[in-house]
């Protein structure tokens, strides 16, 4: 049985989430103080939304740290999927937050309220700068958790851009409906992207084949080897969206000696190393060998693939 592992340095991801958490929390406190000071309900409601973001970022950071712990007897693959749990929770929180913002925007459209234009402009400039920097840092991450968090921060950046535009327009014109209209447009855009990311997160949780790998291509590459007879019990799934796991039973043919067996193993492992696999396990079976799993298991979804002779 062959095993392979690859290790990646994810410390940068935790650092980015830590930075985003402290930036967001600090700015939330500033918003709460400033919102009371300029008597702006819009800024105070955004502060509540940002407080939710801060809690989500804190959770994501904590789960990301947990995900770096090494494998043990309880979690033999390590804690990578804890990061995925963070992505799932944050996605749900963001959907709830976006729905709340849409509801508030509709109410503001029905009953327009005057806003402090100068206060909005000042806070919007700070908001774009702080959240923009945090979003830029986290957007470099590869995990599903960081992808979802970057949408959290992108929502804030776009929200503050809307506040800035609305503040400038309100400073010169009496059009109170401009703020909720922009808010609705941005929330709808963010909601669409979050639902898409959440769908991908759920797919990974359900151990679907990762979207960046073709199972058929791997099968055909392996079956192209002259000493490979067939494949069965082939599975690909992902730990957390970045590290994928491959397992298979490979039946060999016309193996005359140990050297031929070793060479064939080496060729198949070389093929697998071309794919973004963090771990792969192969059960090698010789021509006259019966598969031990077939005696105990009837897996209707698992089809044996056989090489065709030319």
């Amino acid at each position: 049985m062959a095993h392979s592992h690859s290790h990646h340095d994810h410390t940068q991801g935790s650092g980015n989430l830590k930075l985003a958490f402290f930036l967001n929390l600090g700015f939330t406190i500033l918003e709460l103080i400033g919102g009371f000071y300029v008597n702006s309900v819009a800024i105070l409601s955004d502060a509540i939304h940002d407080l939710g973001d801060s809690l989500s970022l804190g959770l994501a950071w904590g789960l990301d740290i947990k995900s770096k712990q090494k494998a043990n007897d309880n979690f033999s693959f390590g804690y990578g999927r804890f990061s995925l749990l963070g992505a799932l929770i944050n996605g749900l929180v963001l959907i709830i937050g976006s729905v709340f913002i849409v509801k508030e925007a509709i109410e503001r459209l029905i009953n327009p309220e005057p806003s402090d234009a100068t206060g909005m402009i000042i806070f919007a400039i700070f908001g774009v700068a702080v959240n923009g920097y945090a979003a830029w840092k986290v957007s470099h991450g590869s995990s599903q958790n960081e992808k979802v968090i970057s949408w959290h921060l992108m929502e804030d950046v776009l929200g503050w851009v809307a506040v800035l535009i609305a503040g400038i327009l309100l400073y010169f014109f009496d059009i109170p409906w401009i703020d909720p209209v922009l808010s609705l447009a941005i929330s709808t855009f963010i909601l669409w992207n979050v639902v898409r990311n959440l769908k991908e997160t759920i797919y990974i949780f359900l151990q679907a084949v990762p979207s960046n790998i073709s199972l058929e291509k791997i099968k055909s590459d392996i079956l192209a080897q002259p000493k490979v007879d067939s494949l069965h019990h082939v599975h690909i799934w992902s730990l957390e969206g970045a590290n994928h796991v491959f397992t298979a039973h490979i039946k060999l043919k016309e193996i005359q000696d140990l050297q031929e067996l070793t060479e064939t193993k080496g060729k198949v492992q070389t093929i697998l190393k071309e794919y973004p696999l963090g771990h792969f396990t192969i059960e090698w079976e010789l021509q006259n060998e019966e598969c031990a799993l077939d005696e105990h298991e009837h897996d209707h979804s698992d089809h044996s693939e056989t090489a065709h002779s030319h």
Side-chain angles (χ1 to χ4, degrees):
M1 194 173 284
H3 301 272
S4 174
H5 305 265
S6 69
H7 304 279
H8 306 281
D9 180 21
H10 295 299
T11 52
Q12 191 182 1
S14 288
N16 289 340
L17 289 170
K18 178 182 175 181
L19 174 73
F21 168 69
F22 282 114
L23 277 172
N24 210 272
L25 184 64
F27 189 68
T28 301
I29 294 164
L30 184 69
E31 267 187 298
L32 286 167
I33 297 164
F36 281 111
Y37 183 74
V38 299
N39 196 27
S40 169
V41 181
I43 291 172
L44 281 173
S45 62
D46 197 85
I48 301 301
H49 172 68
D50 272 356
L51 185 63
D53 277 359
S54 296
L55 294 172
S56 295
L57 281 161
L59 176 69
W61 176 33
L63 288 171
D64 200 68
I65 290 167
K66 184 74 176 173
S67 74
K68 307 302 183 288
Q69 289 185 19
K70 291 184 178 176
N72 56 32
D73 289 344
N74 291 324
F75 293 91
S76 61
F77 271 105
Y79 289 80
R81 285 173 85 79
F82 277 71
S83 171
L84 197 63
L85 181 64
L88 184 66
I89 294 167
N90 285 323
L92 294 171
V93 167
L94 197 52
I95 285 172
I96 292 163
S98 295
V99 169
F100 173 75
I101 289 165
V102 167
K103 177 180 163 285
E104 287 293 305
I106 291 167
E107 284 180 8
R108 189 64 70 89
L109 267 175
I110 297 164
N111 302 301
E113 291 178 25
S115 304
D116 181 348
T118 309
M120 286 172 70
I121 292 165
I122 292 166
F123 271 94
I125 291 165
F126 273 107
V128 170
V130 172
N131 289 289
Y133 180 68
W136 175 72
K137 289 293 283 182
V138 177
S139 69
H140 291 50
S142 59
S143 75
Q144 195 66 18
N145 194 8
E146 286 171 280
K147 285 178 188 175
V148 173
I149 286 298
S150 69
W151 275 110
H152 260 285
L153 296 166
M154 189 54 68
E155 179 190 39
D156 291 338
V157 174
L158 292 172
W160 281 113
V161 168
V163 171
L164 181 62
I165 294 165
I168 292 165
L169 288 171
L170 284 168
Y171 190 83
F172 295 105
F173 309 102
D174 184 24
I175 40 171
W177 54 263
I178 195 76
D179 182 43
V181 166
L182 281 168
S183 179
L184 275 173
I186 291 158
S187 294
T188 306
F189 172 71
I190 291 292
L191 205 53
W192 182 79
N193 279 289
V194 170
V195 167
R196 193 181 63 175
N197 269 301
L198 193 63
K199 183 183 172 186
E200 192 179 337
T201 301
I202 292 167
Y203 263 58
I204 295 166
F205 254 118
L206 296 175
Q207 295 186 312
V209 174
S211 57
N212 64 334
I213 286 186
S214 168
L215 184 58
E216 290 305 312
K217 178 77 167 64
I218 293 180
K219 283 179 179 178
S220 64
D221 285 352
I222 292 171
L223 289 168
Q225 298 305 307
K227 297 290 181 181
V228 172
D229 183 57
S230 63
L231 290 170
H232 54 279
H233 296 300
V234 183
H235 306 287
I236 300 180
W237 54 281
S238 185
L239 277 171
E240 77 314 43
N243 289 292
H244 309 321
V245 177
F246 174 88
T247 62
H249 285 215
I250 299 178
K251 187 176 272 291
L252 303 172
K253 63 182 180 184
E254 299 165 7
I255 298 291
Q256 304 299 324
D257 52 37
L258 191 61
Q259 188 180 343
E260 281 191 347
L261 177 64
T262 307
E263 282 175 4
T264 303
K265 281 184 178 182
K267 285 174 183 176
V268 171
Q269 286 164 6
T270 300
I271 289 167
L272 293 174
K273 283 173 185 174
E274 292 173 6
Y275 292 89
L277 300 170
H279 177 103
F280 58 79
T281 303
I282 300 167
E283 176 71 35
W284 303 96
E285 295 167 4
L286 297 175
Q287 199 159 8
N288 299 321
E289 233 180 315
E290 289 295 321
C291 176
L293 281 179
D294 288 343
E295 296 170 16
H296 308 287
E297 179 179 297
H298 300 286
D299 186 355
H300 299 295
S301 65
D302 188 23
H303 304 289
S304 176
E305 303 257 346
T306 309
H308 302 286
S309 56
H310 301 285

